[in-house]
Amino acid sequence: MPDDPGKSKSETGKGPEIEGKGPAIEDYRGQNPAWCPGCGNLQILRVFKMAMVEMGIEPHELLLVSGIGQAGKFPHYTRCNTFNGLHGRTLPVAQAIRMANHDMRVIAVAGDGDCYGEGGNHFLAAMRRNLNVKLFVHDNQVYGLTKGQASPTTDEGMVTGTQPFGVLSAPMNPVALAVAMDCSLVVRGFSGNQEELKELMKTVLEHKGFALLDIFQNCVTYNEINTFQWYKEHCDPVGEDHDPTDREAAFRLALKAGDRIPTGVIYRHDRPLMEDLIPVIAGAEPLVRQPFSQEDVAGELARFY
């Protein structure tokens, strides 16, 4: 039984001790990425592996879940436990895995279209539940796999291949939405600020609760407005004077847009984990290691049929 049901062996610092040595970048090498040269996804992948190595997390202690999209290919390029599912259904799978095995680190990876569009309702439900799942959203403000149509975070008025008159809908602000939903941890990063992003990934992974890491990244093919240089000029790390536990201050920060867009830990609320509220797994062995009886299952089903 883990010392803390909300943490995996690596979270409690036992992983590297068991293995006798820490992991190396090469241990996480998956397939060769097919992303465009200069794509922000490449930087996110590189920083992610660096963070895993520095935290001493072995590949077998981690499970990546994704749906469809360029960001959805992330698990293909990472050697660890992976699950690649349907468009927009990243979070239901990730949460189910965590419920079945709360001794496993689970990271859901999605693009802004996949998570905030198709998976929008799942995003809301995940924040309410507060399972110990981490969500990395690669936010390039466009659909990069399906030829560049507008995503929920595309700016109003931007002309795309399928919006020749410009986007008519107001953009979604996922960070402000997450603060409004009282998400346990709300963080924004930029793929081009690699040192900051690495530390933010580590902060997210160390947090006990559902965490959103919205990562600005450039799409070199379908977004000629929000380029690498644009993000570099507009992203502004939050100051040390910001108190992320002050919800009103976090909300004001999350609503900032235009020339200065804040990156860093925006909001934090240490809420009870759902894993700790479910009697059959709270303080107990993960479900995958608990005894299983077909007779008991048949008995439960008989109550309904």
Side-chain angles (χ1 to χ4, degrees):
M1 180 183 299
D3 297 331
D4 185 334
K7 293 185 176 182
S8 70
K9 292 175 181 176
S10 60
E11 286 175 298
T12 56
K14 295 181 179 178
E17 294 178 11
I18 294 173
E19 299 297 324
K21 63 176 184 178
I25 292 287
E26 190 65 24
D27 296 336
Y28 275 94
R29 179 184 294 277
Q31 300 174 23
N32 291 326
W35 292 318
C36 302
C39 174
N41 282 326
L42 293 164
Q43 296 169 321
I44 296 173
L45 179 64
R46 177 174 180 270
V47 172
F48 172 79
K49 292 177 180 178
M50 293 168 59
M52 295 303 103
V53 170
E54 290 189 14
M55 295 184 73
I57 299 174
E58 300 283 352
H60 71 270
E61 297 176 318
L62 173 70
L63 195 148
L64 292 177
V65 183
S66 73
I68 301 299
Q70 293 293 357
K73 298 177 181 176
F74 194 91
H76 305 181
Y77 309 144
T78 312
R79 180 176 173 268
C80 64
N81 302 297
T82 62
F83 186 99
N84 192 199
L86 301 175
H87 207 354
R89 305 298 179 258
T90 309
L91 283 171
V93 175
Q95 292 170 96
I97 293 169
R98 180 71 189 183
M99 292 274 280
N101 185 2
H102 61 266
D103 201 22
M104 175 68 74
R105 288 182 183 271
V106 181
I107 299 176
V109 182
D112 44 295
D114 182 52
C115 184
Y116 304 143
E118 283 85 351
N121 188 46
H122 299 306
F123 178 48
L124 300 180
M127 289 189 283
R128 292 177 57 215
R129 293 189 182 109
N130 196 38
L131 282 153
N132 202 7
V133 169
K134 316 306 175 189
L135 172 62
F136 290 4
V137 180
H138 299 207
D139 189 353
N140 56 13
Q141 300 183 254
V142 77
Y143 280 87
L145 181 67
T146 46
K147 308 306 179 185
Q149 72 265 36
S151 83
T153 58
T154 305
D155 287 334
E156 194 170 358
M158 178 175 163
V159 175
T160 75
T162 53
Q163 282 84 23
F165 308 113
V167 177
L168 303 178
S169 301
M172 170 186 176
N173 183 333
V175 172
L177 175 62
V179 175
M181 290 292 297
D182 199 21
C183 180
S184 187
L185 185 67
V186 183
V187 182
R188 175 186 277 144
F190 164 44
S191 64
N193 192 345
Q194 297 189 26
E195 188 59 32
E196 180 199 43
L197 180 59
K198 183 182 68 176
E199 294 307 314
L200 292 177
M201 286 184 176
K202 292 161 71 174
T203 297
V204 165
L205 286 163
E206 289 169 348
H207 180 69
K208 187 176 179 180
F210 183 84
L212 165 67
L213 175 54
D214 185 83
I215 309 170
F216 280 146
Q217 54 125 151
N218 60 305
C219 174
V220 296
T221 304
Y222 296 112
N223 191 339
E224 298 179 351
I225 295 176
N226 308 113
T227 62
F228 179 88
Q229 188 63 32
W230 187 92
Y231 284 121
K232 187 175 181 180
E233 292 173 355
H234 288 74
C235 288
D236 189 18
V238 298
E240 294 182 357
D241 58 336
H242 173 60
D243 177 8
T245 65
D246 184 337
R247 194 176 183 187
E248 291 186 8
F251 200 63
R252 286 194 296 271
L253 204 61
L255 291 176
K256 281 192 174 181
D259 290 340
R260 310 310 305 172
I261 304 175
T263 60
V265 178
I266 306 296
Y267 178 63
R268 178 175 190 144
H269 182 192
D270 295 320
R271 296 165 48 200
L273 279 176
M274 179 169 271
E275 294 102 303
D276 295 340
L277 302 176
I278 301 174
V280 294
I281 60 175
E285 285 283 337
L287 282 177
V288 293
R289 292 202 290 271
Q290 291 188 24
F292 174 77
S293 167
Q294 289 188 335
E295 289 75 17
D296 289 345
V297 174
E300 285 298 313
L301 290 176
R303 296 171 54 210
F304 301 98
Y305 298 98

mmCIF file with all atom_site columns, all heavy atoms in Angstrom, residues 81-95:
data_model
loop_
_atom_site.group_PDB
_atom_site.id
_atom_site.type_symbol
_atom_site.label_atom_id
_atom_site.label_alt_id
_atom_site.label_comp_id
_atom_site.label_asym_id
_atom_site.label_entity_id
_atom_site.label_seq_id
_atom_site.pdbx_PDB_ins_code
_atom_site.Cartn_x
_atom_site.Cartn_y
_atom_site.Cartn_z
_atom_site.occupancy
_atom_site.B_iso_or_equiv
_atom_site.pdbx_formal_charge
_atom_site.auth_seq_id
_atom_site.auth_comp_id
_atom_site.auth_asym_id
_atom_site.auth_atom_id
_atom_site.pdbx_PDB_model_num
ATOM 1   N N   . ASN A 1 81 ? 4.080   4.157  -20.626 1.00 0.00 ? 81 ASN A N   1
ATOM 2   C CA  . ASN A 1 81 ? 2.739   3.625  -20.825 1.00 0.00 ? 81 ASN A CA  1
ATOM 3   C C   . ASN A 1 81 ? 1.917   4.683  -21.556 1.00 0.00 ? 81 ASN A C   1
ATOM 4   O O   . ASN A 1 81 ? 1.934   5.863  -21.169 1.00 0.00 ? 81 ASN A O   1
ATOM 5   C CB  . ASN A 1 81 ? 2.087   3.308  -19.480 1.00 0.00 ? 81 ASN A CB  1
ATOM 6   C CG  . ASN A 1 81 ? 2.891   2.318  -18.664 1.00 0.00 ? 81 ASN A CG  1
ATOM 7   O OD1 . ASN A 1 81 ? 3.086   1.180  -19.075 1.00 0.00 ? 81 ASN A OD1 1
ATOM 8   N ND2 . ASN A 1 81 ? 3.384   2.755  -17.510 1.00 0.00 ? 81 ASN A ND2 1
ATOM 9   N N   . THR A 1 82 ? 1.183   4.278  -22.591 1.00 0.00 ? 82 THR A N   1
ATOM 10  C CA  . THR A 1 82 ? 0.417   5.259  -23.359 1.00 0.00 ? 82 THR A CA  1
ATOM 11  C C   . THR A 1 82 ? -0.949  4.715  -23.736 1.00 0.00 ? 82 THR A C   1
ATOM 12  O O   . THR A 1 82 ? -1.159  3.504  -23.812 1.00 0.00 ? 82 THR A O   1
ATOM 13  C CB  . THR A 1 82 ? 1.148   5.662  -24.662 1.00 0.00 ? 82 THR A CB  1
ATOM 14  O OG1 . THR A 1 82 ? 1.284   4.501  -25.496 1.00 0.00 ? 82 THR A OG1 1
ATOM 15  C CG2 . THR A 1 82 ? 2.506   6.248  -24.369 1.00 0.00 ? 82 THR A CG2 1
ATOM 16  N N   . PHE A 1 83 ? -1.887  5.628  -23.995 1.00 0.00 ? 83 PHE A N   1
ATOM 17  C CA  . PHE A 1 83 ? -3.206  5.274  -24.529 1.00 0.00 ? 83 PHE A CA  1
ATOM 18  C C   . PHE A 1 83 ? -3.614  6.392  -25.476 1.00 0.00 ? 83 PHE A C   1
ATOM 19  O O   . PHE A 1 83 ? -3.674  7.561  -25.081 1.00 0.00 ? 83 PHE A O   1
ATOM 20  C CB  . PHE A 1 83 ? -4.243  5.134  -23.412 1.00 0.00 ? 83 PHE A CB  1
ATOM 21  C CG  . PHE A 1 83 ? -5.585  4.633  -23.889 1.00 0.00 ? 83 PHE A CG  1
ATOM 22  C CD1 . PHE A 1 83 ? -5.921  3.283  -23.759 1.00 0.00 ? 83 PHE A CD1 1
ATOM 23  C CD2 . PHE A 1 83 ? -6.503  5.491  -24.484 1.00 0.00 ? 83 PHE A CD2 1
ATOM 24  C CE1 . PHE A 1 83 ? -7.147  2.816  -24.205 1.00 0.00 ? 83 PHE A CE1 1
ATOM 25  C CE2 . PHE A 1 83 ? -7.733  5.020  -24.933 1.00 0.00 ? 83 PHE A CE2 1
ATOM 26  C CZ  . PHE A 1 83 ? -8.051  3.671  -24.795 1.00 0.00 ? 83 PHE A CZ  1
ATOM 27  N N   . ASN A 1 84 ? -3.885  6.049  -26.729 1.00 0.00 ? 84 ASN A N   1
ATOM 28  C CA  . ASN A 1 84 ? -4.302  7.028  -27.730 1.00 0.00 ? 84 ASN A CA  1
ATOM 29  C C   . ASN A 1 84 ? -5.740  6.707  -28.128 1.00 0.00 ? 84 ASN A C   1
ATOM 30  O O   . ASN A 1 84 ? -6.002  5.652  -28.710 1.00 0.00 ? 84 ASN A O   1
ATOM 31  C CB  . ASN A 1 84 ? -3.361  6.951  -28.939 1.00 0.00 ? 84 ASN A CB  1
ATOM 32  C CG  . ASN A 1 84 ? -3.545  8.119  -29.904 1.00 0.00 ? 84 ASN A CG  1
ATOM 33  O OD1 . ASN A 1 84 ? -3.131  8.030  -31.049 1.00 0.00 ? 84 ASN A OD1 1
ATOM 34  N ND2 . ASN A 1 84 ? -4.138  9.197  -29.471 1.00 0.00 ? 84 ASN A ND2 1
ATOM 35  N N   . GLY A 1 85 ? -6.659  7.602  -27.800 1.00 0.00 ? 85 GLY A N   1
ATOM 36  C CA  . GLY A 1 85 ? -8.063  7.296  -28.014 1.00 0.00 ? 85 GLY A CA  1
ATOM 37  C C   . GLY A 1 85 ? -8.759  8.230  -28.976 1.00 0.00 ? 85 GLY A C   1
ATOM 38  O O   . GLY A 1 85 ? -8.169  8.720  -29.936 1.00 0.00 ? 85 GLY A O   1
ATOM 39  N N   . LEU A 1 86 ? -10.033 8.524  -28.680 1.00 0.00 ? 86 LEU A N   1
ATOM 40  C CA  . LEU A 1 86 ? -10.888 9.277  -29.594 1.00 0.00 ? 86 LEU A CA  1
ATOM 41  C C   . LEU A 1 86 ? -10.717 10.785 -29.418 1.00 0.00 ? 86 LEU A C   1
ATOM 42  O O   . LEU A 1 86 ? -10.248 11.270 -28.386 1.00 0.00 ? 86 LEU A O   1
ATOM 43  C CB  . LEU A 1 86 ? -12.353 8.896  -29.358 1.00 0.00 ? 86 LEU A CB  1
ATOM 44  C CG  . LEU A 1 86 ? -12.716 7.423  -29.541 1.00 0.00 ? 86 LEU A CG  1
ATOM 45  C CD1 . LEU A 1 86 ? -14.174 7.187  -29.160 1.00 0.00 ? 86 LEU A CD1 1
ATOM 46  C CD2 . LEU A 1 86 ? -12.454 6.970  -30.973 1.00 0.00 ? 86 LEU A CD2 1
ATOM 47  N N   . HIS A 1 87 ? -11.154 11.503 -30.443 1.00 0.00 ? 87 HIS A N   1
ATOM 48  C CA  . HIS A 1 87 ? -11.067 12.965 -30.441 1.00 0.00 ? 87 HIS A CA  1
ATOM 49  C C   . HIS A 1 87 ? -11.914 13.543 -29.297 1.00 0.00 ? 87 HIS A C   1
ATOM 50  O O   . HIS A 1 87 ? -13.107 13.265 -29.183 1.00 0.00 ? 87 HIS A O   1
ATOM 51  C CB  . HIS A 1 87 ? -11.592 13.491 -31.768 1.00 0.00 ? 87 HIS A CB  1
ATOM 52  C CG  . HIS A 1 87 ? -11.014 14.802 -32.182 1.00 0.00 ? 87 HIS A CG  1
ATOM 53  N ND1 . HIS A 1 87 ? -10.164 15.552 -31.389 1.00 0.00 ? 87 HIS A ND1 1
ATOM 54  C CD2 . HIS A 1 87 ? -11.124 15.507 -33.345 1.00 0.00 ? 87 HIS A CD2 1
ATOM 55  C CE1 . HIS A 1 87 ? -9.814  16.649 -32.025 1.00 0.00 ? 87 HIS A CE1 1
ATOM 56  N NE2 . HIS A 1 87 ? -10.376 16.650 -33.221 1.00 0.00 ? 87 HIS A NE2 1
ATOM 57  N N   . GLY A 1 88 ? -11.272 14.326 -28.438 1.00 0.00 ? 88 GLY A N   1
ATOM 58  C CA  . GLY A 1 88 ? -11.980 14.979 -27.352 1.00 0.00 ? 88 GLY A CA  1
ATOM 59  C C   . GLY A 1 88 ? -12.261 14.111 -26.141 1.00 0.00 ? 88 GLY A C   1
ATOM 60  O O   . GLY A 1 88 ? -12.869 14.568 -25.178 1.00 0.00 ? 88 GLY A O   1
ATOM 61  N N   . ARG A 1 89 ? -11.840 12.862 -26.172 1.00 0.00 ? 89 ARG A N   1
ATOM 62  C CA  . ARG A 1 89 ? -12.175 11.940 -25.076 1.00 0.00 ? 89 ARG A CA  1
ATOM 63  C C   . ARG A 1 89 ? -10.947 11.611 -24.221 1.00 0.00 ? 89 ARG A C   1
ATOM 64  O O   . ARG A 1 89 ? -10.898 10.576 -23.564 1.00 0.00 ? 89 ARG A O   1
ATOM 65  C CB  . ARG A 1 89 ? -12.786 10.652 -25.630 1.00 0.00 ? 89 ARG A CB  1
ATOM 66  C CG  . ARG A 1 89 ? -13.993 10.886 -26.525 1.00 0.00 ? 89 ARG A CG  1
ATOM 67  C CD  . ARG A 1 89 ? -15.153 11.572 -25.785 1.00 0.00 ? 89 ARG A CD  1
ATOM 68  N NE  . ARG A 1 89 ? -16.291 11.809 -26.660 1.00 0.00 ? 89 ARG A NE  1
ATOM 69  C CZ  . ARG A 1 89 ? -16.590 12.992 -27.197 1.00 0.00 ? 89 ARG A CZ  1
ATOM 70  N NH1 . ARG A 1 89 ? -15.815 14.052 -26.949 1.00 0.00 ? 89 ARG A NH1 1
ATOM 71  N NH2 . ARG A 1 89 ? -17.639 13.129 -27.971 1.00 0.00 ? 89 ARG A NH2 1
ATOM 72  N N   . THR A 1 90 ? -9.999  12.491 -24.216 1.00 0.00 ? 90 THR A N   1
ATOM 73  C CA  . THR A 1 90 ? -8.768  12.257 -23.451 1.00 0.00 ? 90 THR A CA  1
ATOM 74  C C   . THR A 1 90 ? -9.036  12.166 -21.952 1.00 0.00 ? 90 THR A C   1
ATOM 75  O O   . THR A 1 90 ? -8.558  11.246 -21.286 1.00 0.00 ? 90 THR A O   1
ATOM 76  C CB  . THR A 1 90 ? -7.774  13.407 -23.711 1.00 0.00 ? 90 THR A CB  1
ATOM 77  O OG1 . THR A 1 90 ? -7.638  13.594 -25.114 1.00 0.00 ? 90 THR A OG1 1
ATOM 78  C CG2 . THR A 1 90 ? -6.435  13.117 -23.104 1.00 0.00 ? 90 THR A CG2 1
ATOM 79  N N   . LEU A 1 91 ? -9.797  13.110 -21.442 1.00 0.00 ? 91 LEU A N   1
ATOM 80  C CA  . LEU A 1 91 ? -9.980  13.171 -19.990 1.00 0.00 ? 91 LEU A CA  1
ATOM 81  C C   . LEU A 1 91 ? -10.822 12.031 -19.418 1.00 0.00 ? 91 LEU A C   1
ATOM 82  O O   . LEU A 1 91 ? -10.482 11.521 -18.337 1.00 0.00 ? 91 LEU A O   1
ATOM 83  C CB  . LEU A 1 91 ? -10.569 14.531 -19.602 1.00 0.00 ? 91 LEU A CB  1
ATOM 84  C CG  . LEU A 1 91 ? -9.546  15.673 -19.614 1.00 0.00 ? 91 LEU A CG  1
ATOM 85  C CD1 . LEU A 1 91 ? -10.234 17.026 -19.449 1.00 0.00 ? 91 LEU A CD1 1
ATOM 86  C CD2 . LEU A 1 91 ? -8.517  15.475 -18.514 1.00 0.00 ? 91 LEU A CD2 1
ATOM 87  N N   . PRO A 1 92 ? -11.899 11.592 -20.068 1.00 0.00 ? 92 PRO A N   1
ATOM 88  C CA  . PRO A 1 92 ? -12.627 10.438 -19.508 1.00 0.00 ? 92 PRO A CA  1
ATOM 89  C C   . PRO A 1 92 ? -11.735 9.215  -19.356 1.00 0.00 ? 92 PRO A C   1
ATOM 90  O O   . PRO A 1 92 ? -11.806 8.503  -18.342 1.00 0.00 ? 92 PRO A O   1
ATOM 91  C CB  . PRO A 1 92 ? -13.747 10.201 -20.536 1.00 0.00 ? 92 PRO A CB  1
ATOM 92  C CG  . PRO A 1 92 ? -13.967 11.527 -21.162 1.00 0.00 ? 92 PRO A CG  1
ATOM 93  C CD  . PRO A 1 92 ? -12.610 12.176 -21.212 1.00 0.00 ? 92 PRO A CD  1
ATOM 94  N N   . VAL A 1 93 ? -10.888 8.957  -20.357 1.00 0.00 ? 93 VAL A N   1
ATOM 95  C CA  . VAL A 1 93 ? -9.994  7.802  -20.274 1.00 0.00 ? 93 VAL A CA  1
ATOM 96  C C   . VAL A 1 93 ? -8.968  7.996  -19.157 1.00 0.00 ? 93 VAL A C   1
ATOM 97  O O   . VAL A 1 93 ? -8.716  7.087  -18.352 1.00 0.00 ? 93 VAL A O   1
ATOM 98  C CB  . VAL A 1 93 ? -9.274  7.587  -21.624 1.00 0.00 ? 93 VAL A CB  1
ATOM 99  C CG1 . VAL A 1 93 ? -8.256  6.464  -21.512 1.00 0.00 ? 93 VAL A CG1 1
ATOM 100 C CG2 . VAL A 1 93 ? -10.292 7.283  -22.722 1.00 0.00 ? 93 VAL A CG2 1
ATOM 101 N N   . ALA A 1 94 ? -8.385  9.188  -19.098 1.00 0.00 ? 94 ALA A N   1
ATOM 102 C CA  . ALA A 1 94 ? -7.364  9.455  -18.082 1.00 0.00 ? 94 ALA A CA  1
ATOM 103 C C   . ALA A 1 94 ? -7.935  9.301  -16.671 1.00 0.00 ? 94 ALA A C   1
ATOM 104 O O   . ALA A 1 94 ? -7.293  8.729  -15.780 1.00 0.00 ? 94 ALA A O   1
ATOM 105 C CB  . ALA A 1 94 ? -6.802  10.861 -18.278 1.00 0.00 ? 94 ALA A CB  1
ATOM 106 N N   . GLN A 1 95 ? -9.140  9.791  -16.474 1.00 0.00 ? 95 GLN A N   1
ATOM 107 C CA  . GLN A 1 95 ? -9.751  9.694  -15.144 1.00 0.00 ? 95 GLN A CA  1
ATOM 108 C C   . GLN A 1 95 ? -10.092 8.246  -14.794 1.00 0.00 ? 95 GLN A C   1
ATOM 109 O O   . GLN A 1 95 ? -9.939  7.830  -13.640 1.00 0.00 ? 95 GLN A O   1
ATOM 110 C CB  . GLN A 1 95 ? -11.011 10.568 -15.093 1.00 0.00 ? 95 GLN A CB  1
ATOM 111 C CG  . GLN A 1 95 ? -10.705 12.058 -15.162 1.00 0.00 ? 95 GLN A CG  1
ATOM 112 C CD  . GLN A 1 95 ? -11.964 12.882 -15.349 1.00 0.00 ? 95 GLN A CD  1
ATOM 113 O OE1 . GLN A 1 95 ? -12.545 13.385 -14.389 1.00 0.00 ? 95 GLN A OE1 1
ATOM 114 N NE2 . GLN A 1 95 ? -12.425 12.994 -16.594 1.00 0.00 ? 95 GLN A NE2 1
#
